[in-house]
Amino acid sequence: MIYQSGKDYLSAPRKRVLLFGMSGLGKTYLANMLRDQGPAGKGWFHYSVDYRIGTRYMNEYIADNFKREAMKVPLLRELLMTDSVYIASNITFNNLAPLSTYLGKPGDPAKGGVPFAEYMNRQEQHRQAEVAAMLDTARFIDRAHEIYGYQNFVCDTSGSICEVVDPADPANPVMRQLSDTLLLVWIKGSEDHTAELVRRFDRAPKPMYYQPAFLHAAWEEYRATHSVTEETCDPDAFVRWTYARALAHRQPRYAAMATWGVTVTAEQVAAVKDPAGFDAMLATAIDAAR
């Protein structure tokens, strides 16, 4: 770890922290709080990996997908062919819908599904984009300080970070760079949190990134056990079914990543209301890990 003790962290003139864990446990809440409550230009710089993925590495894929749909409408086709309209996504830190929509869900096209092969192609695009966005972190630490004068830096990672790194490999380039430049903090949820995340996802299923081997196995099992084909599979039903299994698949991977840093609980995160409380939580976690 880059901080040898809680005292070392508290006295550091420039704090650098990376938050990871399941979506919905407080990563973005903490990052937004640190950014909004710190002094302008001197507090915390918020680096959102999902935002970087959507605006830098997947932006062209997303915009092209919008254009394909627009070309199906005669009026929009004519305007696009004459460069009379401009189509682009409007991703923000708190609205990643264009990225999520592009990733899509496999299954019945009448229900918004895409062919499984295309779905897997987009998954691979996301994997490459996420790795690139993670490796950009070190450069953004320097940029945030040198250009904007920010003293502290918080990296708000994607929930799928555990799918694109190998925490068991001490030479993994992404894990190596991240642990050499930031304090890695796992926000650990309980079984109750997992159940709530599943209920929340069931109400509004959304596309996500998963490892190819996991997805292929899930796709084969789902079609076999539900007696559906690629063309008749309900996309939302498939991603709902997959999500609960994905949480169990991810948990040991998050735990392995945590050996590179420290662990805090979702309950502790929920109790943090200001940067001072955040710092105190991490100082305690560092001393506990040591």
Side-chain angles (χ1 to χ4, degrees), residues 20 161-176 179 184 211 250-261:
F20 71 92
I161 183 175
C162 66
E163 307 275 10
V164 303
V165 300
D166 181 4
D169 178 7
N172 181 262
V174 179
M175 290 299 298
R176 187 77 272 157
S179 65
L184 274 57
Q211 287 187 330
R250 287 181 174 182
Q251 197 70 5
R253 300 187 66 84
Y254 287 135
M257 288 180 63
T259 63
W260 294 67

PDB file of all heavy atoms in Angstrom, residues 20 161-176 179 184 211 250-261:
ATOM      1  N   PHE A  20     -13.662   0.511  -5.107  1.00  0.00           N
ATOM      2  CA  PHE A  20     -14.203  -0.544  -5.955  1.00  0.00           C
ATOM      3  C   PHE A  20     -15.167  -1.411  -5.162  1.00  0.00           C
ATOM      4  O   PHE A  20     -15.165  -1.421  -3.930  1.00  0.00           O
ATOM      5  CB  PHE A  20     -13.084  -1.388  -6.582  1.00  0.00           C
ATOM      6  CG  PHE A  20     -12.339  -2.289  -5.623  1.00  0.00           C
ATOM      7  CD1 PHE A  20     -12.740  -3.600  -5.409  1.00  0.00           C
ATOM      8  CD2 PHE A  20     -11.213  -1.825  -4.943  1.00  0.00           C
ATOM      9  CE1 PHE A  20     -12.049  -4.440  -4.545  1.00  0.00           C
ATOM     10  CE2 PHE A  20     -10.510  -2.649  -4.073  1.00  0.00           C
ATOM     11  CZ  PHE A  20     -10.933  -3.966  -3.874  1.00  0.00           C
ATOM     12  N   ILE A 161     -14.823  -3.878 -12.648  1.00  0.00           N
ATOM     13  CA  ILE A 161     -13.364  -3.874 -12.615  1.00  0.00           C
ATOM     14  C   ILE A 161     -12.800  -5.255 -12.305  1.00  0.00           C
ATOM     15  O   ILE A 161     -11.777  -5.667 -12.850  1.00  0.00           O
ATOM     16  CB  ILE A 161     -12.829  -2.833 -11.602  1.00  0.00           C
ATOM     17  CG1 ILE A 161     -11.291  -2.797 -11.642  1.00  0.00           C
ATOM     18  CG2 ILE A 161     -13.344  -3.089 -10.203  1.00  0.00           C
ATOM     19  CD1 ILE A 161     -10.683  -1.725 -10.776  1.00  0.00           C
ATOM     20  N   CYS A 162     -13.487  -6.016 -11.422  1.00  0.00           N
ATOM     21  CA  CYS A 162     -12.989  -7.331 -11.048  1.00  0.00           C
ATOM     22  C   CYS A 162     -13.014  -8.319 -12.205  1.00  0.00           C
ATOM     23  O   CYS A 162     -12.380  -9.378 -12.144  1.00  0.00           O
ATOM     24  CB  CYS A 162     -13.780  -7.880  -9.862  1.00  0.00           C
ATOM     25  SG  CYS A 162     -15.520  -8.234 -10.242  1.00  0.00           S
ATOM     26  N   GLU A 163     -13.745  -7.985 -13.265  1.00  0.00           N
ATOM     27  CA  GLU A 163     -13.839  -8.867 -14.432  1.00  0.00           C
ATOM     28  C   GLU A 163     -12.676  -8.659 -15.404  1.00  0.00           C
ATOM     29  O   GLU A 163     -12.416  -9.523 -16.245  1.00  0.00           O
ATOM     30  CB  GLU A 163     -15.157  -8.615 -15.185  1.00  0.00           C
ATOM     31  CG  GLU A 163     -16.423  -8.700 -14.336  1.00  0.00           C
ATOM     32  CD  GLU A 163     -16.946 -10.110 -14.186  1.00  0.00           C
ATOM     33  OE1 GLU A 163     -16.235 -11.052 -14.580  1.00  0.00           O
ATOM     34  OE2 GLU A 163     -18.060 -10.264 -13.679  1.00  0.00           O
ATOM     35  N   VAL A 164     -11.995  -7.528 -15.310  1.00  0.00           N
ATOM     36  CA  VAL A 164     -10.974  -7.205 -16.315  1.00  0.00           C
ATOM     37  C   VAL A 164      -9.558  -7.232 -15.756  1.00  0.00           C
ATOM     38  O   VAL A 164      -8.605  -6.928 -16.480  1.00  0.00           O
ATOM     39  CB  VAL A 164     -11.254  -5.830 -16.964  1.00  0.00           C
ATOM     40  CG1 VAL A 164     -12.634  -5.811 -17.594  1.00  0.00           C
ATOM     41  CG2 VAL A 164     -11.111  -4.695 -15.962  1.00  0.00           C
ATOM     42  N   VAL A 165      -9.394  -7.562 -14.471  1.00  0.00           N
ATOM     43  CA  VAL A 165      -8.071  -7.676 -13.874  1.00  0.00           C
ATOM     44  C   VAL A 165      -7.903  -9.079 -13.301  1.00  0.00           C
ATOM     45  O   VAL A 165      -8.881  -9.789 -13.056  1.00  0.00           O
ATOM     46  CB  VAL A 165      -7.832  -6.638 -12.754  1.00  0.00           C
ATOM     47  CG1 VAL A 165      -7.964  -5.223 -13.303  1.00  0.00           C
ATOM     48  CG2 VAL A 165      -8.793  -6.855 -11.587  1.00  0.00           C
ATOM     49  N   ASP A 166      -6.644  -9.466 -13.077  1.00  0.00           N
ATOM     50  CA  ASP A 166      -6.352 -10.746 -12.426  1.00  0.00           C
ATOM     51  C   ASP A 166      -5.625 -10.443 -11.124  1.00  0.00           C
ATOM     52  O   ASP A 166      -4.395 -10.315 -11.095  1.00  0.00           O
ATOM     53  CB  ASP A 166      -5.480 -11.622 -13.329  1.00  0.00           C
ATOM     54  CG  ASP A 166      -5.165 -12.971 -12.694  1.00  0.00           C
ATOM     55  OD1 ASP A 166      -5.684 -13.244 -11.582  1.00  0.00           O
ATOM     56  OD2 ASP A 166      -4.397 -13.749 -13.286  1.00  0.00           O
ATOM     57  N   PRO A 167      -6.366 -10.328 -10.015  1.00  0.00           N
ATOM     58  CA  PRO A 167      -5.741  -9.955  -8.746  1.00  0.00           C
ATOM     59  C   PRO A 167      -4.800 -11.021  -8.197  1.00  0.00           C
ATOM     60  O   PRO A 167      -3.983 -10.735  -7.306  1.00  0.00           O
ATOM     61  CB  PRO A 167      -6.936  -9.738  -7.817  1.00  0.00           C
ATOM     62  CG  PRO A 167      -8.040 -10.541  -8.410  1.00  0.00           C
ATOM     63  CD  PRO A 167      -7.823 -10.484  -9.884  1.00  0.00           C
ATOM     64  N   ALA A 168      -4.884 -12.250  -8.717  1.00  0.00           N
ATOM     65  CA  ALA A 168      -3.992 -13.317  -8.255  1.00  0.00           C
ATOM     66  C   ALA A 168      -2.606 -13.216  -8.894  1.00  0.00           C
ATOM     67  O   ALA A 168      -1.665 -13.877  -8.445  1.00  0.00           O
ATOM     68  CB  ALA A 168      -4.613 -14.679  -8.554  1.00  0.00           C
ATOM     69  N   ASP A 169      -2.490 -12.393  -9.924  1.00  0.00           N
ATOM     70  CA  ASP A 169      -1.217 -12.233 -10.638  1.00  0.00           C
ATOM     71  C   ASP A 169      -0.498 -10.987 -10.117  1.00  0.00           C
ATOM     72  O   ASP A 169      -0.929  -9.867 -10.387  1.00  0.00           O
ATOM     73  CB  ASP A 169      -1.483 -12.100 -12.138  1.00  0.00           C
ATOM     74  CG  ASP A 169      -0.209 -11.884 -12.945  1.00  0.00           C
ATOM     75  OD1 ASP A 169       0.894 -11.976 -12.355  1.00  0.00           O
ATOM     76  OD2 ASP A 169      -0.320 -11.614 -14.154  1.00  0.00           O
ATOM     77  N   PRO A 170       0.611 -11.151  -9.392  1.00  0.00           N
ATOM     78  CA  PRO A 170       1.309  -9.977  -8.855  1.00  0.00           C
ATOM     79  C   PRO A 170       1.884  -9.067  -9.928  1.00  0.00           C
ATOM     80  O   PRO A 170       2.240  -7.919  -9.637  1.00  0.00           O
ATOM     81  CB  PRO A 170       2.430 -10.591  -7.994  1.00  0.00           C
ATOM     82  CG  PRO A 170       2.627 -11.966  -8.547  1.00  0.00           C
ATOM     83  CD  PRO A 170       1.278 -12.415  -9.020  1.00  0.00           C
ATOM     84  N   ALA A 171       1.951  -9.556 -11.162  1.00  0.00           N
ATOM     85  CA  ALA A 171       2.480  -8.744 -12.255  1.00  0.00           C
ATOM     86  C   ALA A 171       1.376  -8.191 -13.147  1.00  0.00           C
ATOM     87  O   ALA A 171       1.675  -7.582 -14.186  1.00  0.00           O
ATOM     88  CB  ALA A 171       3.459  -9.567 -13.093  1.00  0.00           C
ATOM     89  N   ASN A 172       0.108  -8.377 -12.770  1.00  0.00           N
ATOM     90  CA  ASN A 172      -0.974  -7.852 -13.594  1.00  0.00           C
ATOM     91  C   ASN A 172      -0.778  -6.351 -13.795  1.00  0.00           C
ATOM     92  O   ASN A 172      -0.689  -5.603 -12.816  1.00  0.00           O
ATOM     93  CB  ASN A 172      -2.320  -8.118 -12.922  1.00  0.00           C
ATOM     94  CG  ASN A 172      -3.493  -7.611 -13.750  1.00  0.00           C
ATOM     95  OD1 ASN A 172      -4.013  -6.533 -13.504  1.00  0.00           O
ATOM     96  ND2 ASN A 172      -3.909  -8.385 -14.747  1.00  0.00           N
ATOM     97  N   PRO A 173      -0.683  -5.877 -15.043  1.00  0.00           N
ATOM     98  CA  PRO A 173      -0.323  -4.474 -15.272  1.00  0.00           C
ATOM     99  C   PRO A 173      -1.309  -3.473 -14.695  1.00  0.00           C
ATOM    100  O   PRO A 173      -0.906  -2.414 -14.207  1.00  0.00           O
ATOM    101  CB  PRO A 173      -0.228  -4.369 -16.795  1.00  0.00           C
ATOM    102  CG  PRO A 173      -1.022  -5.531 -17.322  1.00  0.00           C
ATOM    103  CD  PRO A 173      -0.844  -6.620 -16.318  1.00  0.00           C
ATOM    104  N   VAL A 174      -2.608  -3.777 -14.740  1.00  0.00           N
ATOM    105  CA  VAL A 174      -3.596  -2.840 -14.206  1.00  0.00           C
ATOM    106  C   VAL A 174      -3.524  -2.800 -12.681  1.00  0.00           C
ATOM    107  O   VAL A 174      -3.441  -1.719 -12.075  1.00  0.00           O
ATOM    108  CB  VAL A 174      -5.016  -3.212 -14.667  1.00  0.00           C
ATOM    109  CG1 VAL A 174      -6.036  -2.246 -14.071  1.00  0.00           C
ATOM    110  CG2 VAL A 174      -5.111  -3.195 -16.188  1.00  0.00           C
ATOM    111  N   MET A 175      -3.527  -3.966 -12.045  1.00  0.00           N
ATOM    112  CA  MET A 175      -3.446  -4.006 -10.583  1.00  0.00           C
ATOM    113  C   MET A 175      -2.135  -3.407 -10.083  1.00  0.00           C
ATOM    114  O   MET A 175      -2.101  -2.691  -9.077  1.00  0.00           O
ATOM    115  CB  MET A 175      -3.587  -5.440 -10.087  1.00  0.00           C
ATOM    116  CG  MET A 175      -4.964  -6.046 -10.254  1.00  0.00           C
ATOM    117  SD  MET A 175      -6.263  -5.163  -9.352  1.00  0.00           S
ATOM    118  CE  MET A 175      -5.729  -5.357  -7.656  1.00  0.00           C
ATOM    119  N   ARG A 176      -1.065  -3.680 -10.805  1.00  0.00           N
ATOM    120  CA  ARG A 176       0.251  -3.173 -10.387  1.00  0.00           C
ATOM    121  C   ARG A 176       0.278  -1.655 -10.422  1.00  0.00           C
ATOM    122  O   ARG A 176       0.712  -1.000  -9.467  1.00  0.00           O
ATOM    123  CB  ARG A 176       1.318  -3.744 -11.313  1.00  0.00           C
ATOM    124  CG  ARG A 176       2.754  -3.469 -10.951  1.00  0.00           C
ATOM    125  CD  ARG A 176       3.213  -4.372  -9.817  1.00  0.00           C
ATOM    126  NE  ARG A 176       2.941  -3.796  -8.513  1.00  0.00           N
ATOM    127  CZ  ARG A 176       2.820  -4.513  -7.407  1.00  0.00           C
ATOM    128  NH1 ARG A 176       2.897  -5.823  -7.439  1.00  0.00           N
ATOM    129  NH2 ARG A 176       2.571  -3.928  -6.259  1.00  0.00           N
ATOM    130  N   SER A 179      -2.191  -0.116  -7.668  1.00  0.00           N
ATOM    131  CA  SER A 179      -1.721  -0.245  -6.288  1.00  0.00           C
ATOM    132  C   SER A 179      -0.465   0.577  -6.030  1.00  0.00           C
ATOM    133  O   SER A 179      -0.192   0.956  -4.888  1.00  0.00           O
ATOM    134  CB  SER A 179      -1.457  -1.713  -5.946  1.00  0.00           C
ATOM    135  OG  SER A 179      -0.393  -2.232  -6.721  1.00  0.00           O
ATOM    136  N   LEU A 184      -6.177   1.270  -2.696  1.00  0.00           N
ATOM    137  CA  LEU A 184      -7.324   0.524  -3.190  1.00  0.00           C
ATOM    138  C   LEU A 184      -8.264   0.212  -2.027  1.00  0.00           C
ATOM    139  O   LEU A 184      -7.834  -0.370  -1.016  1.00  0.00           O
ATOM    140  CB  LEU A 184      -6.875  -0.773  -3.870  1.00  0.00           C
ATOM    141  CG  LEU A 184      -6.490  -0.678  -5.347  1.00  0.00           C
ATOM    142  CD1 LEU A 184      -5.376   0.341  -5.574  1.00  0.00           C
ATOM    143  CD2 LEU A 184      -6.061  -2.042  -5.875  1.00  0.00           C
ATOM    144  N   GLN A 211     -17.268 -11.424 -17.770  1.00  0.00           N
ATOM    145  CA  GLN A 211     -16.223 -12.186 -18.445  1.00  0.00           C
ATOM    146  C   GLN A 211     -16.832 -13.100 -19.505  1.00  0.00           C
ATOM    147  O   GLN A 211     -17.918 -13.662 -19.308  1.00  0.00           O
ATOM    148  CB  GLN A 211     -15.445 -13.028 -17.431  1.00  0.00           C
ATOM    149  CG  GLN A 211     -14.515 -12.228 -16.543  1.00  0.00           C
ATOM    150  CD  GLN A 211     -13.649 -13.123 -15.687  1.00  0.00           C
ATOM    151  OE1 GLN A 211     -14.044 -14.222 -15.314  1.00  0.00           O
ATOM    152  NE2 GLN A 211     -12.463 -12.658 -15.360  1.00  0.00           N
ATOM    153  N   ARG A 250     -18.632 -12.539  -8.760  1.00  0.00           N
ATOM    154  CA  ARG A 250     -17.730 -11.411  -8.542  1.00  0.00           C
ATOM    155  C   ARG A 250     -17.184 -11.322  -7.123  1.00  0.00           C
ATOM    156  O   ARG A 250     -16.094 -10.784  -6.902  1.00  0.00           O
ATOM    157  CB  ARG A 250     -18.440 -10.100  -8.891  1.00  0.00           C
ATOM    158  CG  ARG A 250     -18.633  -9.887 -10.386  1.00  0.00           C
ATOM    159  CD  ARG A 250     -19.322  -8.573 -10.695  1.00  0.00           C
ATOM    160  NE  ARG A 250     -19.356  -8.335 -12.141  1.00  0.00           N
ATOM    161  CZ  ARG A 250     -19.857  -7.251 -12.705  1.00  0.00           C
ATOM    162  NH1 ARG A 250     -20.404  -6.309 -11.944  1.00  0.00           N
ATOM    163  NH2 ARG A 250     -19.841  -7.101 -14.019  1.00  0.00           N
ATOM    164  N   GLN A 251     -17.931 -11.795  -6.151  1.00  0.00           N
ATOM    165  CA  GLN A 251     -17.545 -11.595  -4.763  1.00  0.00           C
ATOM    166  C   GLN A 251     -16.124 -12.080  -4.449  1.00  0.00           C
ATOM    167  O   GLN A 251     -15.331 -11.332  -3.851  1.00  0.00           O
ATOM    168  CB  GLN A 251     -18.568 -12.269  -3.835  1.00  0.00           C
ATOM    169  CG  GLN A 251     -18.508 -11.807  -2.392  1.00  0.00           C
ATOM    170  CD  GLN A 251     -19.008 -10.373  -2.210  1.00  0.00           C
ATOM    171  OE1 GLN A 251     -19.488  -9.755  -3.162  1.00  0.00           O
ATOM    172  NE2 GLN A 251     -18.879  -9.845  -1.013  1.00  0.00           N
ATOM    173  N   PRO A 252     -15.737 -13.305  -4.801  1.00  0.00           N
ATOM    174  CA  PRO A 252     -14.362 -13.729  -4.513  1.00  0.00           C
ATOM    175  C   PRO A 252     -13.311 -12.941  -5.293  1.00  0.00           C
ATOM    176  O   PRO A 252     -12.172 -12.794  -4.835  1.00  0.00           O
ATOM    177  CB  PRO A 252     -14.354 -15.212  -4.897  1.00  0.00           C
ATOM    178  CG  PRO A 252     -15.508 -15.387  -5.817  1.00  0.00           C
ATOM    179  CD  PRO A 252     -16.547 -14.406  -5.372  1.00  0.00           C
ATOM    180  N   ARG A 253     -13.690 -12.415  -6.438  1.00  0.00           N
ATOM    181  CA  ARG A 253     -12.738 -11.611  -7.207  1.00  0.00           C
ATOM    182  C   ARG A 253     -12.501 -10.261  -6.523  1.00  0.00           C
ATOM    183  O   ARG A 253     -11.379  -9.753  -6.487  1.00  0.00           O
ATOM    184  CB  ARG A 253     -13.234 -11.426  -8.644  1.00  0.00           C
ATOM    185  CG  ARG A 253     -13.410 -12.725  -9.411  1.00  0.00           C
ATOM    186  CD  ARG A 253     -13.743 -12.486 -10.878  1.00  0.00           C
ATOM    187  NE  ARG A 253     -12.625 -11.855 -11.577  1.00  0.00           N
ATOM    188  CZ  ARG A 253     -11.599 -12.512 -12.088  1.00  0.00           C
ATOM    189  NH1 ARG A 253     -11.535 -13.827 -11.983  1.00  0.00           N
ATOM    190  NH2 ARG A 253     -10.629 -11.872 -12.714  1.00  0.00           N
ATOM    191  N   TYR A 254     -13.573  -9.667  -5.996  1.00  0.00           N
ATOM    192  CA  TYR A 254     -13.405  -8.442  -5.213  1.00  0.00           C
ATOM    193  C   TYR A 254     -12.534  -8.709  -3.990  1.00  0.00           C
ATOM    194  O   TYR A 254     -11.655  -7.906  -3.647  1.00  0.00           O
ATOM    195  CB  TYR A 254     -14.763  -7.913  -4.741  1.00  0.00           C
ATOM    196  CG  TYR A 254     -15.631  -7.272  -5.790  1.00  0.00           C
ATOM    197  CD1 TYR A 254     -16.988  -7.585  -5.864  1.00  0.00           C
ATOM    198  CD2 TYR A 254     -15.129  -6.342  -6.688  1.00  0.00           C
ATOM    199  CE1 TYR A 254     -17.818  -6.985  -6.798  1.00  0.00           C
ATOM    200  CE2 TYR A 254     -15.951  -5.753  -7.639  1.00  0.00           C
ATOM    201  CZ  TYR A 254     -17.297  -6.072  -7.690  1.00  0.00           C
ATOM    202  OH  TYR A 254     -18.105  -5.474  -8.623  1.00  0.00           O
ATOM    203  N   ALA A 255     -12.788  -9.814  -3.314  1.00  0.00           N
ATOM    204  CA  ALA A 255     -12.026 -10.150  -2.108  1.00  0.00           C
ATOM    205  C   ALA A 255     -10.544 -10.310  -2.431  1.00  0.00           C
ATOM    206  O   ALA A 255      -9.682  -9.890  -1.646  1.00  0.00           O
ATOM    207  CB  ALA A 255     -12.588 -11.419  -1.472  1.00  0.00           C
ATOM    208  N   ALA A 256     -10.245 -10.907  -3.574  1.00  0.00           N
ATOM    209  CA  ALA A 256      -8.845 -11.060  -3.979  1.00  0.00           C
ATOM    210  C   ALA A 256      -8.208  -9.702  -4.256  1.00  0.00           C
ATOM    211  O   ALA A 256      -7.042  -9.457  -3.924  1.00  0.00           O
ATOM    212  CB  ALA A 256      -8.750 -11.963  -5.204  1.00  0.00           C
ATOM    213  N   MET A 257      -8.971  -8.810  -4.878  1.00  0.00           N
ATOM    214  CA  MET A 257      -8.464  -7.457  -5.119  1.00  0.00           C
ATOM    215  C   MET A 257      -8.183  -6.726  -3.809  1.00  0.00           C
ATOM    216  O   MET A 257      -7.248  -5.927  -3.712  1.00  0.00           O
ATOM    217  CB  MET A 257      -9.470  -6.652  -5.948  1.00  0.00           C
ATOM    218  CG  MET A 257      -9.590  -7.044  -7.397  1.00  0.00           C
ATOM    219  SD  MET A 257     -10.813  -6.014  -8.269  1.00  0.00           S
ATOM    220  CE  MET A 257     -10.048  -4.384  -8.129  1.00  0.00           C
ATOM    221  N   ALA A 258      -9.000  -7.017  -2.790  1.00  0.00           N
ATOM    222  CA  ALA A 258      -8.864  -6.326  -1.506  1.00  0.00           C
ATOM    223  C   ALA A 258      -7.539  -6.622  -0.822  1.00  0.00           C
ATOM    224  O   ALA A 258      -7.096  -5.840   0.034  1.00  0.00           O
ATOM    225  CB  ALA A 258     -10.028  -6.694  -0.585  1.00  0.00           C
ATOM    226  N   THR A 259      -6.876  -7.735  -1.182  1.00  0.00           N
ATOM    227  CA  THR A 259      -5.571  -8.036  -0.577  1.00  0.00           C
ATOM    228  C   THR A 259      -4.504  -7.033  -1.033  1.00  0.00           C
ATOM    229  O   THR A 259      -3.429  -6.973  -0.441  1.00  0.00           O
ATOM    230  CB  THR A 259      -5.118  -9.465  -0.928  1.00  0.00           C
ATOM    231  OG1 THR A 259      -4.930  -9.577  -2.352  1.00  0.00           O
ATOM    232  CG2 THR A 259      -6.160 -10.485  -0.483  1.00  0.00           C
ATOM    233  N   TRP A 260      -4.809  -6.265  -2.061  1.00  0.00           N
ATOM    234  CA  TRP A 260      -3.908  -5.229  -2.548  1.00  0.00           C
ATOM    235  C   TRP A 260      -4.148  -3.893  -1.830  1.00  0.00           C
ATOM    236  O   TRP A 260      -3.431  -2.926  -2.082  1.00  0.00           O
ATOM    237  CB  TRP A 260      -4.105  -5.009  -4.039  1.00  0.00           C
ATOM    238  CG  TRP A 260      -3.733  -6.153  -4.920  1.00  0.00           C
ATOM    239  CD1 TRP A 260      -4.335  -7.378  -4.998  1.00  0.00           C
ATOM    240  CD2 TRP A 260      -2.675  -6.188  -5.899  1.00  0.00           C
ATOM    241  NE1 TRP A 260      -3.739  -8.169  -5.954  1.00  0.00           N
ATOM    242  CE2 TRP A 260      -2.713  -7.464  -6.518  1.00  0.00           C
ATOM    243  CE3 TRP A 260      -1.711  -5.269  -6.317  1.00  0.00           C
ATOM    244  CZ2 TRP A 260      -1.824  -7.831  -7.527  1.00  0.00           C
ATOM    245  CZ3 TRP A 260      -0.832  -5.634  -7.332  1.00  0.00           C
ATOM    246  CH2 TRP A 260      -0.887  -6.906  -7.917  1.00  0.00           C
ATOM    247  N   GLY A 261      -5.172  -3.835  -0.970  1.00  0.00           N
ATOM    248  CA  GLY A 261      -5.504  -2.567  -0.321  1.00  0.00           C
ATOM    249  C   GLY A 261      -6.196  -2.776   1.006  1.00  0.00           C
ATOM    250  O   GLY A 261      -5.751  -3.582   1.829  1.00  0.00           O
TER     251      GLY A 261
END
